[in-house]
Amino acid sequence: SLPSKSPTAPPTTVPRAGHSTGRLKVGDLTRTYRLYVPAKAAQADATVPLLVALHGGGGSGAHFESDAGFDALADSAGFVVAYPDAVRPPGGQVATWDAGNCCGYAARTGIDDVGFVRTLITSLRAKYPIDERRIYVDGFSNGGMLAYRVACQLAGTVAAVGAQSATLEYAPCQPSRPVSLIHIHGTADTNVPLAGGPGSGRANADYTPPQQ
């Protein structure tokens, strides 16, 4: 369970239902994200959960929003969803996250994606009535790898993470407390093999085997 914290009063700003986009300065970079606030969350009398949804390598927040189905789930359950965008290399098309050993330009140059997630959560909590005890991060492929890294480094901030078709590529992973995890992975996945090892995807990565 999360450590006991004093209740935090929700901000006075009433969130407006619907889609929006935002920008945040993280280090020397301006980072972008999409946000969805369902009517149920906008009309809630109490704080609401937040889900940060991380797209796969080569994707975008908008693409992941259209594919993942989280907006419909947010409509029924009443939580806010943020879809951050990974960094693209100068003149390049493939956006990636720095999950540690993977992937691409972000990992090679040490893009502070954990700092981006932290700053995004802090910014949204300042604007909307987010429940500090119900903040979750989910990701697909390279995004799932970043979700793992977030669990390692932001354990005091997130309640749980989810990863699909991903591996833990950050070491040493020494979270300040246990973090709940759901991991979904197909046994026939060759892009990011469940057992680790070389993948068939364009990342051309040798993935870390799962820890026993």
Side-chain angles (χ1 to χ4, degrees), residues 92-116:
Q93 299 299 316
V94 180
T96 56
W97 304 104
D98 179 9
N101 293 328
C102 186
C103 291
Y105 173 80
R108 289 195 306 271
T109 58
I111 298 296
D112 187 10
D113 285 319
V114 172
F116 178 27

Side-chain angles (χ1 to χ4, degrees), residues 23-107:
R23 294 175 177 269
L24 289 171
K25 191 74 171 179
V26 182
D28 294 330
L29 298 176
T30 298
R31 307 300 300 266
T32 59
Y33 65 92
R34 293 179 60 83
L35 187 71
Y36 180 60
V37 179
K40 185 178 289 188
Q43 297 165 2
D45 294 329
T47 55
V48 297
L50 169 66
L51 173 65
V52 178
L54 303 169
H55 64 78
S60 67
H63 182 265
F64 197 38
E65 182 178 20
S66 68
D67 283 356
F70 287 135
D71 287 1
L73 186 60
D75 284 332
S76 61
F79 60 87
V80 173
V81 194
Y83 300 92
D85 294 310
V87 167
R88 299 180 187 276
Q93 299 299 316
V94 180
T96 56
W97 304 104
D98 179 9
N101 293 328
C102 186
C103 291
Y105 173 80

